[in-house]
Amino acid sequence: MVLGHAVGWSLPLPPVPLTAGVGLALLPVAVASTVRAHRRLPRVDRATLTTGAQFANAATTTAVLLDPSLLAALVESRRWRAIGLVRGRRFRAGGRFPARSTRCCCSGS
């Protein structure tokens, strides 16, 4: 692009000006989406907002660096986090592997 501009070459314009037509056609969709988002805003909690911020950051980084593996890694970690569930419980009195006898198995007696 820069080199083409330096030598006087530029991209051809589209034959039909699409900007105004597309903008007017999509204006109702934009208004409806804005109204819907405004109505749902009170239901957004902090965890959802944090997740969305991390996803937006990964998407922006992916677009800037042209590296989709960053976005894929975030999606995969979210998927594994949703699958994994850890339940807390109390420790046993004797530990995880309680000893059954005080004698060593290697002493020979």
XYZ file of all heavy atoms in Angstrom:
805
model
N 0.812 -1.185 0.000
C 0.000 0.000 0.000
C 0.861 1.257 0.000
O 0.607 2.158 -0.783
C -0.918 0.016 1.236
C -2.096 -0.935 1.179
S -3.360 -0.432 0.033
C -4.114 0.920 0.856
N 1.832 1.307 0.904
C 2.655 2.518 0.995
C 3.479 2.687 -0.267
O 3.576 3.784 -0.827
C 3.556 2.455 2.244
C 4.511 3.629 2.291
C 2.711 2.408 3.501
N 4.052 1.603 -0.739
C 4.854 1.671 -1.953
C 3.976 2.025 -3.156
O 4.363 2.826 -4.004
C 5.574 0.348 -2.185
C 6.540 0.308 -3.358
C 7.641 1.347 -3.165
C 7.129 -1.072 -3.516
N 2.770 1.472 -3.212
C 1.848 1.797 -4.298
C 1.439 3.259 -4.275
O 1.309 3.896 -5.323
N 1.257 3.793 -3.098
C 0.917 5.214 -2.984
C 2.084 6.089 -3.431
O 1.885 7.133 -4.057
C 0.525 5.547 -1.539
C 0.144 6.978 -1.334
N -1.020 7.505 -1.841
C 0.784 7.985 -0.691
C -1.087 8.777 -1.512
N -0.012 9.106 -0.800
N 3.293 5.658 -3.134
C 4.474 6.445 -3.508
C 4.637 6.519 -5.023
O 5.094 7.529 -5.551
C 5.726 5.853 -2.865
N 4.243 5.449 -5.737
C 4.397 5.454 -7.196
C 3.129 5.924 -7.909
O 3.070 5.928 -9.131
C 4.815 4.065 -7.724
C 6.178 3.690 -7.197
C 3.770 3.024 -7.417
N 2.104 6.309 -7.152
C 0.893 6.828 -7.760
C -0.192 5.806 -8.003
O -1.190 6.105 -8.642
N -0.044 4.594 -7.514
C -1.056 3.564 -7.697
C -1.946 3.537 -6.463
O -1.478 3.635 -5.335
C -0.373 2.209 -7.886
C -1.324 1.080 -8.081
C -1.955 0.746 -9.233
C -1.751 0.147 -7.089
N -2.743 -0.345 -9.040
C -2.646 -0.734 -7.720
C -1.487 -0.025 -5.750
C -3.259 -1.764 -7.052
C -2.100 -1.055 -5.080
C -2.980 -1.921 -5.725
N -3.254 3.400 -6.645
C -4.174 3.318 -5.511
C -5.221 2.253 -5.784
O -5.396 1.804 -6.920
C -4.844 4.672 -5.268
O -5.642 5.014 -6.383
N -5.919 1.860 -4.750
C -6.971 0.857 -4.890
C -8.167 1.459 -5.619
O -8.506 2.625 -5.393
C -7.412 0.359 -3.515
C -6.386 -0.445 -2.732
C -6.907 -0.735 -1.332
C -6.091 -1.748 -3.447
N -8.795 0.697 -6.489
C -9.968 1.245 -7.190
C -11.151 1.372 -6.228
O -11.326 0.574 -5.316
C -10.246 0.206 -8.278
C -9.638 -1.049 -7.773
C -8.470 -0.646 -6.922
N -11.970 2.380 -6.450
C -13.174 2.570 -5.649
C -14.239 1.585 -6.101
O -14.290 1.205 -7.274
C -13.684 4.002 -5.806
C -12.776 5.091 -5.253
C -13.338 6.460 -5.596
C -12.620 4.937 -3.756
N -15.110 1.166 -5.190
C -16.186 0.259 -5.608
C -17.122 0.972 -6.586
O -17.304 2.188 -6.514
C -16.901 -0.096 -4.302
C -16.437 0.868 -3.296
C -15.137 1.429 -3.772
N -17.741 0.233 -7.508
C -18.585 0.867 -8.517
C -19.838 1.517 -7.934
O -20.364 2.467 -8.496
C -18.947 -0.269 -9.470
C -18.698 -1.506 -8.712
C -17.650 -1.202 -7.704
N -20.347 1.013 -6.813
C -21.551 1.561 -6.190
C -21.176 2.025 -4.786
O -20.545 1.276 -4.043
C -22.658 0.488 -6.109
C -23.906 1.028 -5.443
C -22.969 -0.066 -7.475
N -21.547 3.239 -4.408
C -21.252 3.672 -3.038
C -22.108 2.894 -2.031
O -23.314 3.086 -1.943
C -21.601 5.161 -3.037
C -22.489 5.371 -4.208
C -22.174 4.286 -5.195
N -21.476 1.973 -1.330
C -22.192 1.087 -0.425
C -22.319 1.627 0.988
O -23.152 1.155 1.752
C -21.468 -0.264 -0.372
C -21.400 -1.051 -1.673
C -20.576 -2.302 -1.478
C -22.799 -1.415 -2.123
N -21.529 2.584 1.354
C -21.469 3.004 2.743
C -22.808 3.516 3.251
O -23.287 3.086 4.299
C -20.395 4.093 2.913
O -19.179 3.621 2.359
C -20.202 4.439 4.360
N -23.425 4.413 2.544
C -24.695 4.994 3.005
C -25.809 3.953 3.005
O -26.600 3.871 3.948
C -25.069 6.178 2.125
N -25.865 3.140 1.963
C -26.916 2.126 1.876
C -26.811 1.077 2.964
O -27.804 0.720 3.609
N -25.610 0.594 3.181
C -25.410 -0.417 4.225
C -25.656 0.191 5.597
O -26.265 -0.432 6.472
C -23.985 -1.023 4.117
C -23.679 -1.912 5.309
C -23.847 -1.806 2.831
N -25.195 1.423 5.795
C -25.409 2.088 7.083
C -26.887 2.272 7.402
O -27.326 2.028 8.522
N -27.662 2.697 6.419
C -29.098 2.877 6.639
C -29.819 1.545 6.825
O -30.758 1.445 7.601
C -29.719 3.648 5.474
C -29.379 5.141 5.417
C -29.959 5.766 4.160
C -29.904 5.840 6.654
N -29.363 0.518 6.118
C -29.996 -0.791 6.258
C -29.724 -1.409 7.625
O -30.579 -2.097 8.188
C -29.509 -1.722 5.153
N -28.541 -1.166 8.181
C -28.180 -1.768 9.465
C -28.495 -0.874 10.661
O -28.264 -1.292 11.802
C -26.695 -2.139 9.460
C -26.306 -3.242 8.487
C -24.820 -3.514 8.552
C -27.088 -4.511 8.778
N -29.001 0.316 10.443
C -29.328 1.220 11.548
C -30.374 0.628 12.492
O -30.194 0.688 13.717
C -29.780 2.579 11.007
C -30.067 3.645 12.056
C -28.787 3.972 12.818
C -30.634 4.879 11.405
N -31.463 0.020 12.018
C -32.420 -0.592 12.962
C -31.804 -1.725 13.783
O -32.130 -1.890 14.952
C -33.542 -1.125 12.062
C -33.417 -0.372 10.799
C -31.975 -0.024 10.647
N -30.922 -2.486 13.184
C -30.256 -3.566 13.917
C -29.381 -2.993 15.031
O -29.364 -3.496 16.161
C -29.410 -4.435 12.953
C -28.611 -5.475 13.712
C -30.300 -5.084 11.917
N -28.670 -1.911 14.736
C -27.818 -1.281 15.745
C -28.648 -0.703 16.883
O -28.298 -0.842 18.059
C -26.961 -0.188 15.094
N -29.765 -0.070 16.562
C -30.627 0.505 17.602
C -31.227 -0.603 18.463
O -31.256 -0.507 19.697
C -31.725 1.391 16.965
C -32.770 1.801 17.984
C -31.099 2.611 16.326
N -31.713 -1.666 17.848
C -32.297 -2.774 18.603
C -31.259 -3.443 19.503
O -31.551 -3.792 20.656
C -32.908 -3.794 17.647
N -30.044 -3.607 19.011
C -28.988 -4.210 19.819
C -28.623 -3.323 21.005
O -28.383 -3.821 22.116
C -27.747 -4.457 18.970
O -28.031 -5.359 17.943
N -28.586 -2.029 20.798
C -28.268 -1.095 21.882
C -29.353 -1.117 22.951
O -29.054 -1.149 24.152
C -28.099 0.326 21.324
O -27.083 0.306 20.323
C -27.716 1.301 22.411
N -30.610 -1.126 22.558
C -31.714 -1.171 23.520
C -31.679 -2.482 24.304
O -31.853 -2.497 25.529
C -33.064 -0.987 22.792
C -34.240 -1.297 23.702
C -33.167 0.421 22.242
N -31.438 -3.584 23.623
C -31.384 -4.891 24.293
C -30.227 -4.951 25.282
O -30.378 -5.463 26.390
C -31.233 -5.984 23.236
C -31.315 -7.357 23.788
C -31.258 -8.380 22.678
N -31.325 -9.710 23.226
C -30.998 -10.792 22.571
N -30.583 -10.688 21.322
N -31.079 -11.973 23.131
N -29.077 -4.432 24.898
C -27.919 -4.434 25.798
C -28.185 -3.551 27.019
O -27.816 -3.899 28.140
C -26.680 -3.947 25.056
N -28.838 -2.417 26.821
C -29.137 -1.513 27.942
C -30.100 -2.165 28.922
O -29.988 -1.974 30.137
C -29.717 -0.207 27.400
C -29.843 0.844 28.457
N -30.953 0.959 29.245
C -28.985 1.812 28.854
C -30.790 1.953 30.088
N -29.601 2.490 29.867
N -31.054 -2.937 28.431
C -32.006 -3.621 29.312
C -31.343 -4.752 30.104
O -31.749 -5.037 31.226
C -33.161 -4.186 28.501
C -34.090 -3.116 27.999
C -35.235 -3.722 27.256
N -36.100 -2.674 26.715
C -36.985 -2.872 25.777
N -37.140 -4.071 25.247
N -37.732 -1.869 25.347
N -30.362 -5.403 29.543
C -29.711 -6.527 30.221
C -28.535 -6.117 31.095
O -27.980 -6.935 31.806
C -29.231 -7.542 29.190
C -30.369 -8.246 28.516
C -29.868 -9.265 27.542
N -30.989 -9.895 26.882
C -31.119 -11.195 26.761
N -30.199 -11.991 27.218
N -32.170 -11.702 26.161
N -28.152 -4.876 31.030
C -26.988 -4.414 31.779
C -27.079 -4.641 33.284
O -26.088 -5.030 33.902
C -26.726 -2.946 31.459
C -25.404 -2.376 31.917
C -24.243 -3.160 31.305
C -25.290 -0.911 31.538
N -28.221 -4.451 33.938
C -28.272 -4.696 35.385
C -28.024 -6.157 35.782
O -27.668 -6.443 36.916
C -29.686 -4.279 35.782
C -30.126 -3.343 34.716
C -29.452 -3.806 33.471
N -28.195 -7.087 34.853
C -27.993 -8.509 35.168
C -26.557 -8.974 34.998
O -26.255 -10.134 35.250
C -28.892 -9.364 34.288
C -30.354 -9.217 34.662
C -31.176 -10.206 33.906
N -31.590 -9.567 32.650
C -32.249 -10.179 31.702
N -32.556 -11.443 31.823
N -32.600 -9.536 30.609
N -25.663 -8.104 34.587
C -24.265 -8.490 34.393
C -23.550 -8.414 35.739
O -23.517 -7.371 36.386
C -23.571 -7.565 33.364
C -22.110 -7.906 33.238
C -24.261 -7.675 32.021
N -22.981 -9.539 36.178
C -22.252 -9.539 37.441
C -20.757 -9.355 37.190
O -20.297 -9.287 36.058
C -22.516 -10.829 38.223
C -22.092 -12.067 37.465
O -21.870 -11.966 36.249
O -21.985 -13.138 38.084
N -20.011 -9.255 38.260
C -18.587 -8.961 38.164
C -17.811 -10.091 37.478
O -16.895 -9.841 36.698
C -18.019 -8.714 39.557
C -16.580 -8.278 39.527
C -16.107 -7.891 40.882
N -16.773 -6.651 41.244
C -16.695 -6.083 42.423
N -15.996 -6.633 43.366
N -17.339 -4.968 42.669
N -18.175 -11.342 37.741
C -17.462 -12.465 37.124
C -17.657 -12.472 35.609
O -16.713 -12.706 34.854
C -17.945 -13.781 37.727
N -18.863 -12.207 35.162
C -19.133 -12.162 33.724
C -18.396 -11.007 33.070
O -17.843 -11.142 31.977
C -20.645 -12.015 33.481
O -21.318 -13.068 34.161
C -20.974 -12.069 32.010
N -18.361 -9.880 33.754
C -17.667 -8.718 33.224
C -16.169 -8.981 33.106
O -15.531 -8.625 32.109
C -17.925 -7.506 34.119
C -17.468 -6.163 33.599
C -18.177 -5.827 32.303
C -17.725 -5.098 34.641
N -15.596 -9.653 34.099
C -14.171 -9.992 34.066
C -13.865 -10.960 32.928
O -12.886 -10.801 32.209
C -13.732 -10.594 35.407
O -14.031 -9.658 36.437
C -12.264 -10.912 35.417
N -14.715 -11.960 32.767
C -14.530 -12.924 31.681
C -14.606 -12.233 30.325
O -13.795 -12.493 29.433
C -15.590 -14.033 31.766
O -15.474 -14.677 33.023
C -15.416 -15.045 30.659
N -15.564 -11.345 30.170
C -15.696 -10.621 28.908
C -14.505 -9.720 28.632
O -14.064 -9.594 27.489
N -13.964 -9.102 29.680
C -12.793 -8.240 29.508
C -11.580 -9.050 29.080
O -10.812 -8.623 28.210
C -12.504 -7.477 30.789
N -11.393 -10.228 29.682
C -10.268 -11.082 29.286
C -10.430 -11.558 27.848
O -9.463 -11.616 27.089
C -10.156 -12.267 30.230
C -9.679 -11.904 31.608
C -9.688 -13.089 32.544
O -10.216 -14.147 32.223
N -9.107 -12.911 33.711
N -11.651 -11.896 27.469
C -11.897 -12.350 26.104
C -11.662 -11.221 25.102
O -11.074 -11.431 24.040
C -13.325 -12.882 25.981
C -13.611 -13.485 24.653
C -13.137 -14.749 24.333
C -14.340 -12.803 23.701
C -13.394 -15.316 23.104
C -14.601 -13.352 22.466
C -14.132 -14.616 22.173
N -12.103 -10.009 25.435
C -11.888 -8.866 24.545
C -10.403 -8.552 24.402
O -9.929 -8.233 23.303
C -12.641 -7.646 25.076
N -9.671 -8.664 25.493
C -8.224 -8.434 25.440
C -7.538 -9.476 24.561
O -6.667 -9.149 23.746
C -7.643 -8.446 26.848
C -6.197 -8.032 26.885
O -5.694 -7.439 25.945
N -5.526 -8.354 27.965
N -7.921 -10.740 24.711
C -7.327 -11.796 23.883
C -7.700 -11.611 22.413
O -6.865 -11.822 21.526
C -7.784 -13.167 24.374
N -8.921 -11.194 22.139
C -9.340 -10.983 20.748
C -8.579 -9.817 20.121
O -8.158 -9.892 18.965
C -10.843 -10.730 20.691
N -8.373 -8.757 20.890
C -7.625 -7.614 20.378
C -6.176 -7.997 20.104
O -5.608 -7.661 19.060
C -7.675 -6.451 21.384
O -9.039 -6.129 21.623
C -6.944 -5.243 20.865
N -5.563 -8.716 21.033
C -4.179 -9.153 20.853
C -4.059 -10.088 19.661
O -3.103 -10.013 18.887
C -3.671 -9.851 22.121
O -3.862 -8.970 23.237
C -2.215 -10.207 22.011
N -5.036 -10.970 19.497
C -5.043 -11.881 18.355
C -5.114 -11.104 17.041
O -4.401 -11.417 16.085
C -6.231 -12.850 18.462
O -6.063 -13.648 19.629
C -6.327 -13.747 17.252
N -5.952 -10.072 16.997
C -6.087 -9.293 15.774
C -4.822 -8.489 15.477
O -4.404 -8.384 14.323
C -7.280 -8.354 15.886
N -4.206 -7.935 16.506
C -3.020 -7.113 16.290
C -1.826 -7.971 15.874
O -1.105 -7.637 14.932
C -2.689 -6.298 17.560
C -1.326 -5.660 17.465
C -3.748 -5.244 17.790
N -1.618 -9.079 16.557
C -0.459 -9.925 16.279
C -0.719 -10.978 15.195
O 0.201 -11.705 14.819
C -0.012 -10.636 17.561
C 0.446 -9.719 18.696
C 0.818 -10.542 19.918
C 1.624 -8.878 18.258
N -1.962 -11.057 14.722
C -2.354 -12.066 13.717
C -1.986 -13.473 14.175
O -1.459 -14.287 13.419
C -1.715 -11.759 12.362
C -2.107 -10.422 11.735
C -1.311 -10.197 10.463
C -3.589 -10.376 11.465
N -2.256 -13.757 15.447
C -1.922 -15.055 16.039
C -3.165 -15.624 16.717
O -3.436 -15.326 17.880
C -0.788 -14.884 17.049
C -0.293 -16.203 17.604
O -0.706 -17.254 17.081
O 0.500 -16.177 18.554
N -3.961 -16.421 16.013
C -5.200 -16.933 16.607
C -4.982 -17.933 17.738
O -5.915 -18.270 18.453
C -5.919 -17.598 15.426
C -4.873 -17.839 14.422
C -3.803 -16.809 14.627
N -3.750 -18.398 17.935
C -3.516 -19.345 19.019
C -3.736 -18.707 20.385
O -4.074 -19.394 21.343
C -2.100 -19.914 18.932
O -1.144 -18.891 19.146
N -3.582 -17.383 20.497
C -3.828 -16.707 21.773
C -5.300 -16.800 22.157
O -5.646 -17.082 23.302
C -3.398 -15.247 21.688
C -1.920 -15.000 21.439
C -1.676 -13.528 21.149
C -1.109 -15.445 22.623
N -6.169 -16.562 21.200
C -7.602 -16.653 21.461
C -8.009 -18.105 21.701
O -8.827 -18.385 22.579
C -8.379 -16.065 20.287
C -9.873 -15.907 20.478
C -10.170 -14.997 21.656
C -10.504 -15.355 19.221
N -7.430 -19.021 20.963
C -7.737 -20.441 21.156
C -7.318 -20.905 22.541
O -8.024 -21.703 23.178
C -7.049 -21.276 20.079
N -6.179 -20.410 23.040
C -5.723 -20.797 24.372
C -6.682 -20.305 25.445
O -6.967 -21.021 26.411
C -4.321 -20.252 24.617
N -7.204 -19.105 25.295
C -8.160 -18.585 26.272
C -9.450 -19.388 26.253
O -9.985 -19.760 27.303
C -8.465 -17.112 26.004
C -9.494 -16.505 26.956
C -8.907 -16.347 28.343
C -9.998 -15.198 26.432
N -9.946 -19.687 25.072
C -11.178 -20.463 24.959
C -10.975 -21.855 25.553
O -11.842 -22.377 26.270
C -11.635 -20.536 23.486
C -12.774 -21.521 23.305
C -12.030 -19.158 22.997
N -9.829 -22.463 25.284
C -9.562 -23.797 25.823
C -9.442 -23.780 27.339
O -9.970 -24.664 28.019
C -8.273 -24.355 25.218
C -7.990 -25.767 25.647
C -6.739 -26.320 24.993
O -6.139 -25.635 24.153
O -6.363 -27.460 25.344
N -8.785 -22.771 27.900
C -8.668 -22.708 29.362
C -10.029 -22.476 29.999
O -10.312 -23.028 31.066
C -7.688 -21.616 29.776
O -8.213 -20.338 29.499
N -10.889 -21.690 29.371
C -12.242 -21.497 29.898
C -13.032 -22.798 29.848
O -13.798 -23.100 30.750
C -12.985 -20.425 29.096
C -12.402 -19.078 29.227
C -12.678 -18.521 30.583
N -11.987 -17.267 30.737
C -11.856 -16.639 31.870
N -12.365 -17.142 32.956
N -11.202 -15.514 31.940
N -12.847 -23.560 28.786
C -13.569 -24.829 28.666
C -13.132 -25.806 29.744
O -13.952 -26.439 30.399
C -13.332 -25.431 27.282
C -14.151 -26.674 27.025
C -13.868 -27.176 25.644
N -12.446 -27.476 25.522
C -11.972 -28.628 25.096
N -12.789 -29.556 24.690
N -10.682 -28.843 25.031
N -11.810 -25.915 29.979
C -11.326 -26.821 31.019
C -11.716 -26.338 32.409
O -11.979 -27.132 33.301
C -9.815 -26.982 30.921
C -9.422 -27.924 29.835
C -8.814 -27.617 28.664
C -9.655 -29.339 29.797
N -8.648 -28.735 27.903
C -9.145 -29.808 28.575
C -10.238 -30.242 30.675
C -9.212 -31.151 28.220
C -10.293 -31.576 30.316
C -9.781 -32.014 29.106
N -11.768 -25.026 32.601
C -12.190 -24.496 33.897
C -13.653 -24.821 34.158
O -14.057 -25.078 35.283
C -11.970 -22.992 33.943
C -12.191 -22.417 35.325
C -11.850 -20.970 35.376
N -10.431 -20.781 35.096
C -9.873 -19.615 34.893
N -10.593 -18.519 34.920
N -8.585 -19.511 34.658
N -14.472 -24.813 33.103
C -15.885 -25.157 33.269
C -16.067 -26.644 33.553
O -16.978 -27.038 34.273
C -16.663 -24.767 32.016
N -15.194 -27.476 33.004
C -15.294 -28.917 33.228
C -14.819 -29.282 34.626
O -15.451 -30.059 35.330
C -14.461 -29.689 32.178
C -15.117 -29.550 30.810
C -14.315 -31.150 32.554
C -14.285 -30.112 29.687
N -13.686 -28.730 35.035
C -13.089 -29.092 36.313
C -13.838 -28.496 37.482
O -14.204 -27.336 37.503
N -14.080 -29.321 38.484
C -14.764 -28.874 39.683
C -14.049 -29.483 40.882
O -13.865 -30.698 40.951
C -16.226 -29.315 39.657
C -17.063 -28.944 40.860
C -17.178 -27.427 40.958
C -18.433 -29.559 40.763
N -13.640 -28.665 41.795
C -12.934 -29.136 42.973
C -13.814 -28.895 44.175
O -14.271 -27.778 44.417
C -11.581 -28.394 43.151
C -10.893 -28.851 44.402
C -10.711 -28.605 41.945
N -14.044 -29.959 44.929
C -14.845 -29.833 46.141
C -13.912 -29.936 47.342
O -13.108 -30.856 47.443
C -15.881 -30.942 46.200
C -16.943 -30.797 45.148
C -18.083 -31.776 45.397
N -19.103 -31.596 44.402
C -19.251 -32.387 43.357
N -18.447 -33.397 43.169
N -20.215 -32.156 42.490
N -14.026 -29.002 48.233
C -13.199 -29.031 49.429
C -13.728 -30.035 50.439
O -14.927 -30.274 50.554
N -12.828 -30.665 51.173
C -13.226 -31.576 52.239
C -12.160 -31.572 53.321
O -11.025 -31.157 53.085
C -13.475 -32.984 51.724
C -12.279 -33.602 51.054
C -12.626 -34.960 50.530
N -11.506 -35.428 49.707
C -11.327 -36.651 49.355
N -12.196 -37.564 49.732
N -10.306 -37.003 48.616
N -12.507 -32.055 54.477
C -11.593 -32.056 55.597
C -10.537 -33.134 55.416
O -10.771 -34.166 54.787
C -12.362 -32.300 56.891
C -13.312 -31.157 57.199
C -14.195 -31.438 58.371
N -13.399 -31.833 59.515
C -13.898 -32.356 60.612
N -15.200 -32.561 60.703
N -13.122 -32.686 61.611
N -9.369 -32.896 56.008
C -8.299 -33.886 55.969
C -8.605 -35.027 56.927
O -9.271 -34.845 57.947
C -6.954 -33.251 56.363
C -6.423 -32.308 55.342
C -6.329 -30.956 55.610
C -6.012 -32.770 54.109
C -5.839 -30.084 54.665
C -5.517 -31.904 53.155
C -5.436 -30.556 53.436
N -8.101 -36.204 56.610
C -8.240 -37.339 57.516
C -7.307 -37.157 58.703
O -6.292 -36.475 58.612
C -7.874 -38.637 56.801
C -8.772 -38.960 55.659
C -8.354 -40.264 55.052
N -8.948 -40.401 53.739
C -8.624 -41.322 52.876
N -7.680 -42.192 53.179
N -9.216 -41.383 51.715
N -7.626 -37.840 59.766
C -6.822 -37.708 60.982
C -5.420 -38.268 60.779
O -4.444 -37.720 61.263
C -7.505 -38.413 62.148
N -5.287 -39.356 60.032
C -3.988 -39.992 59.844
C -3.238 -39.499 58.620
O -2.176 -40.006 58.299
N -3.772 -38.559 57.914
C -3.153 -38.095 56.689
C -3.725 -38.809 55.483
O -4.645 -39.623 55.592
N -3.162 -38.570 54.344
C -3.681 -39.178 53.118
C -3.377 -40.677 53.063
O -4.190 -41.478 52.640
C -3.077 -38.472 51.913
C -3.650 -38.953 50.625
C -3.185 -38.118 49.478
N -3.754 -38.621 48.241
C -3.482 -38.171 47.072
N -2.644 -37.169 46.940
N -4.031 -38.664 45.995
N -2.172 -41.059 53.465
C -1.784 -42.459 53.477
C -1.425 -42.835 54.909
O -0.255 -42.794 55.292
C -0.580 -42.697 52.557
C -0.839 -42.292 51.132
C -0.246 -41.151 50.599
C -1.690 -43.021 50.337
C -0.477 -40.771 49.304
C -1.935 -42.640 49.024
C -1.327 -41.521 48.509
N -2.379 -43.212 55.719
C -2.056 -43.529 57.109
C -1.198 -44.794 57.206
O -1.375 -45.754 56.453
C -3.420 -43.728 57.756
C -4.350 -44.035 56.634
C -3.789 -43.361 55.423
N -0.242 -44.786 58.122
C 0.643 -45.935 58.319
C -0.118 -47.034 59.042
O -0.846 -46.783 59.990
C 1.860 -45.516 59.131
N 0.079 -48.279 58.616
C -0.633 -49.398 59.219
C 0.152 -50.046 60.347
O -0.400 -50.618 61.237
C -0.975 -50.425 58.159
C -1.904 -49.824 57.137
C -2.425 -50.824 56.219
N -3.328 -50.115 55.292
C -4.124 -50.694 54.487
N -4.166 -51.996 54.455
N -4.901 -50.014 53.711
N 1.441 -49.947 60.258
C 2.267 -50.485 61.352
C 3.469 -49.587 61.530
O 3.866 -48.859 60.623
C 2.713 -51.915 61.048
O 3.631 -51.907 59.974
N 4.069 -49.654 62.675
C 5.225 -48.814 62.964
C 6.525 -49.476 62.561
O 7.558 -48.852 62.560
C 5.266 -48.475 64.467
O 5.294 -49.692 65.207
C 4.065 -47.637 64.840
N 6.477 -50.779 62.223
C 7.697 -51.475 61.812
C 8.011 -51.177 60.358
O 7.135 -51.023 59.538
C 7.547 -52.984 61.964
C 7.460 -53.449 63.368
C 7.484 -54.947 63.466
N 6.396 -55.527 62.651
C 6.389 -56.779 62.210
N 7.393 -57.569 62.486
N 5.431 -57.226 61.506
N 9.261 -51.146 60.048
C 9.711 -50.962 58.681
C 9.670 -52.304 57.976
O 10.029 -53.332 58.556
C 11.139 -50.386 58.670
S 11.782 -50.179 56.989
N 9.261 -52.344 56.741
C 9.144 -53.599 55.997
C 10.515 -54.146 55.616
O 10.643 -55.290 55.221
C 8.275 -53.418 54.778
S 8.952 -52.256 53.589
N 11.553 -53.348 55.719
C 12.872 -53.751 55.274
C 13.784 -54.190 56.423
O 14.919 -54.566 56.198
C 13.572 -52.589 54.550
S 12.611 -51.984 53.155
N 13.303 -54.166 57.645
C 14.190 -54.459 58.779
C 14.459 -55.952 58.934
O 15.443 -56.332 59.517
C 13.594 -53.894 60.073
O 12.368 -54.578 60.352
N 13.595 -56.807 58.430
C 13.841 -58.239 58.496
C 13.445 -58.865 59.808
O 13.645 -60.048 60.031
N 12.885 -58.163 60.735
C 12.509 -58.785 61.998
C 11.034 -58.999 62.116
O 10.227 -58.589 61.426
C 12.972 -57.936 63.180
O 12.526 -56.608 63.059
